[in-house]
Amino acid sequence: DTDISSVGLLALCRQLRLVILNIGGVRFNAGYNSYGDDEALIVVRHLPQLEQLWAYSCRLGSEGISAISSNLSLLSALDIRSSR
């Protein structure tokens, strides 16, 4: 589970050359995390080299899913189950 804000995610994406990122997870008694389309766009813009993205139980919509599928051509693993 993560409590990193969108601003924190942006800082991580700008400063690190990650190839694996896990932003998924359900918090007990709190439901889904708050990452959605805006956060997917942050990841796509700043981590084009991403090879694995774990974004289960997020709030991804069609814009975020489309951005991921269109721009992260090196992805070999993607988990978006239980996204809403």
Side-chain angles (χ1 to χ4, degrees):
D1 300 342
T2 184
D3 289 324
I4 298 172
S5 68
S6 296
V7 174
L9 178 63
L10 176 59
L12 285 173
C13 290
R14 283 182 173 166
Q15 295 175 10
L16 302 173
R17 300 282 302 158
L18 300 174
V19 294
I20 299 171
L21 180 63
N22 182 344
I23 58 172
V26 177
R27 296 182 194 151
F28 291 108
N29 300 324
Y32 292 78
N33 73 36
S34 61
Y35 289 156
D37 290 341
D38 291 340
E39 289 76 20
L41 294 174
I42 289 171
V43 170
V44 166
R45 286 186 191 125
H46 298 284
L47 296 176
Q49 74 281 358
L50 209 58
E51 296 174 9
Q52 295 182 25
L53 176 60
W54 309 101
Y56 54 89
S57 300
C58 291
R59 297 185 183 280
L60 294 176
S62 60
E63 183 180 4
I65 299 299
S66 179
I68 290 167
S69 64
S70 298
N71 295 290
L72 297 180
S73 61
L74 299 177
L75 276 183
S76 62
L78 174 63
D79 185 350
I80 54 172
R81 66 188 148 153
S82 299
S83 289
R84 294 183 177 216

